[in-house]
Amino acid sequence: MSCHSSQILIVEDEERLAAFIDKGLTKQGFTTAIAEDGEKALRIAREDGFDLMLLDLGLPVVNGWGVLKELRSQGEVRPIIIVTACKDEQERIFALRSGATDYITKPFRFKDLLECIQTHLTGS
């Protein structure tokens, strides 16, 4: 399975960061959608689906924890990568235990994010 044309849902309320990730992924051949709050993220996940989700934790309306919990409790198995400014090791462990596929801290290099995405999309 080629990673190209995979649908990536970027859940990020910081407009500039969302645009930066969006631009980089589009350039790599991915299809992207942006949700700036947790409620919208859940709606897109239900209606349009996604192949992989990049999820910020500090979101308006429904935070990232709520989105993660809601999707996993509905049996969602697709990769959800937490992208957060929090560098707390306990939080990272909690996120992974709560069903996050991976955990990346901001600021990050786009190359590292891309590598992480490709790893989880190919399932290797």
Side-chain angles (χ1 to χ4, degrees):
M1 159 187 144
S2 152
C3 66
H4 293 297
S5 81
S6 289
Q7 170 86 27
I8 297 184
L9 179 53
I10 303 162
V11 188
E12 171 61 67
D13 61 329
E14 207 181 300
E15 238 176 88
R16 281 181 32 224
L17 183 60
F20 164 75
I21 296 172
D22 182 54
K23 201 170 129 196
L25 291 176
T26 308
K27 220 159 63 185
Q28 293 294 324
F30 292 102
T31 308
T32 57
I34 297 175
E36 49 287 321
D37 66 61
E39 198 176 53
K40 189 173 174 192
L42 289 168
R43 197 173 60 242
I44 293 173
R46 274 195 293 268
E47 292 167 11
D48 306 329
F50 60 92
D51 293 308
L52 182 141
M53 180 185 286
L54 296 175
L55 179 63
D56 181 27
L57 291 173
L59 295 167
V61 195
V62 177
N63 71 16
W65 295 113
V67 173
L68 182 63
K69 195 168 158 239
E70 175 82 7
L71 289 174
R72 291 305 190 217
S73 71
Q74 291 169 3
E76 178 54 69
V77 295
R78 289 170 288 195
I80 298 176
I81 299 170
I82 302 288
V83 182
T84 178
C86 182
K87 291 180 170 34
D88 181 52
E89 187 56 25
Q90 291 306 314
E91 185 167 283
R92 192 180 88 83
I93 292 166
F94 183 72
L96 296 170
R97 281 201 188 126
S98 304
T101 312
D102 216 327
Y103 190 95
I104 286 185
T105 53
K106 305 171 190 171
F108 52 81
R109 294 204 317 248
F110 183 75
K111 187 174 76 70
D112 298 336
L113 179 69
L114 187 61
E115 224 165 80
C116 180
I117 289 169
Q118 286 168 335
T119 299
H120 295 298
L121 280 178
T122 54
S124 56

